[in-house]
Amino acid sequence: MNMRALRIGMRRGWAEHTHLLRNRRELAGTLIGTVGFFALMLIWMGDRPVKGTDVSNATFMTAGFLAFTVFSNGLMTLPLSLVTDREEGALLRLRAIPGGIPAYLTGRAVTVLCQIALQSALLVATAVLVGGVAPPRDWLTLAWVLVLGTVAVVPLGAAIGCLLPSSKSGAGMVALPMMLLLIPSGVMFPVTAMPEAVQWVAQSFPLYWQGLGLRAALLPDSMLVAEIAGSWRLPYVAAVLGAWTVAGMLLAPGLIRRMTRRESGSRLAERQLAAQTA
């Protein structure tokens, strides 16, 4: 990727983000689907303490919702956007433009990063104003965990988008594994309440480690009794998220090149005909 493609992609990503902010339907969907649901959960059960501690559910849920926001945007919104653009022929047209595909991918990544930043800020503000949650006790940890967690899932999301057969079937194929990972990853309730085998499985995925890092930034040390090994393990958080980042960076470029090479006018026509007859 050359600098010109990078600059074009960044401008495209920011322009798409501002367009989403001006689109009332898109903005309302984001506010209701993410922030609105979070506010309802805070009102419903946020003032109750986590069992065996003096920490409110609102504080614990804030870390969980932040982690899931990054996870869902990177591993669901981004892949479905890629496969939709492929079906509509956008990637085929961009392939004919020098630097078109790198600029497009940069733009998609920038849009996702902006959405994550906006939603994260709104979630923290909602937690403080609605749930009475104290501001993060460690803003630096909050920042680097959010950034590294985002960088870890965006390349993986691009790789997943290259493998999805269609946007219709892709939504279910992505959503179900995400829901299954959400339960044992400790982002909604303490992971130590799960069987030990499930705990080991949860620690294999970035969602658990991002949630752990965010809890370190938001929760008091008294909550360490509910964590594996009784520690926030921040060096392990950085190492595991970094390893997933490297894995995604190694995996995504080859899959993206393979996907763009396979695109042709005949394949696009076949998909459009199949969609019309379905």
Side-chain angles (χ1 to χ4, degrees):
M1 180 185 297
N2 56 44
M3 292 303 298
R4 182 172 179 272
L6 182 63
R7 288 194 298 269
I8 292 172
M10 293 178 68
R11 287 198 298 268
R12 182 187 188 280
W14 177 252
E16 185 170 346
H17 174 66
T18 55
H19 171 72
L20 292 173
L21 293 180
R22 290 193 294 266
N23 188 317
R24 293 182 180 179
R25 181 177 297 179
E26 292 282 352
L27 185 60
T30 298
L31 294 177
I32 294 172
T34 304
V35 181
F37 179 70
F38 179 52
L40 288 176
M41 292 292 290
L42 291 175
I43 294 170
W44 176 40
M45 56 185 301
D47 57 347
R48 304 174 191 172
V50 177
K51 187 176 180 179
T53 72
D54 58 353
V55 176
S56 68
N57 276 326
T59 305
F60 194 87
M61 286 191 296
T62 300
F65 269 83
L66 283 171
F68 188 69
T69 294
V70 175
F71 202 67
S72 60
N73 274 285
L75 297 183
M76 187 168 182
T77 303
L78 178 58
L80 293 179
S81 298
L82 281 174
V83 74
T84 299
D85 289 339
R86 185 190 70 197
E87 290 180 336
E88 293 177 351
L91 296 184
L92 182 61
R93 293 190 294 271
L94 287 167
R95 195 179 69 177
I97 303 173
I101 295 296
Y104 163 79
L105 293 171
T106 301
R108 278 293 178 201
V110 168
T111 301
V112 170
L113 291 171
C114 290
Q115 289 176 321
I116 289 172
L118 174 64
Q119 292 176 25
S120 297
L122 291 174
L123 286 173
V124 172
T126 302
V128 173
L129 297 175
V130 178
V133 175
R137 67 189 187 100
D138 190 340
W139 285 97
L140 180 60
T141 297
L142 179 71
W144 74 255
V145 172
L146 282 174
V147 171
L148 187 56
T150 301
V151 174
V153 297
V154 165
L156 291 173
I160 292 171
C162 296
L163 299 174
L164 293 178
S166 68
S167 56
K168 289 183 179 179
S169 62
M173 293 172 66
V174 173
L176 181 58
M178 284 181 57
M179 292 300 106
L180 292 176
L181 279 176
L182 180 64
I183 297 171
S185 291
V187 295
M188 294 304 170
F189 51 85
V191 69
T192 49
M194 305 295 291
E196 186 175 351
V198 177
Q199 295 178 28
W200 280 106
V201 172
Q203 292 178 83
S204 302
F205 296 94
L207 180 57
Y208 166 79
W209 293 100
Q210 182 163 10
L212 179 62
L214 292 172
R215 291 195 294 276
L218 292 166
L219 303 183
D221 288 340
S222 60
M223 281 297 293
L224 287 173
V225 297
E227 297 294 342
I228 297 172
S231 169
W232 297 125
R233 299 187 290 170
L234 290 178
Y236 289 93
V237 172
V240 174
L241 292 179
W244 275 98
T245 300
V246 172
M249 293 290 189
L250 293 175
L251 182 64
L255 290 174
I256 291 169
R257 286 193 295 268
R258 174 177 173 270
M259 179 183 69
T260 54
R261 281 199 303 264
R262 295 179 63 187
E263 283 302 293
S264 65
S266 59
R267 290 176 67 89
L268 176 61
E270 289 175 5
R271 287 197 299 265
Q272 292 176 340
L273 180 60
Q276 291 172 1
T277 57

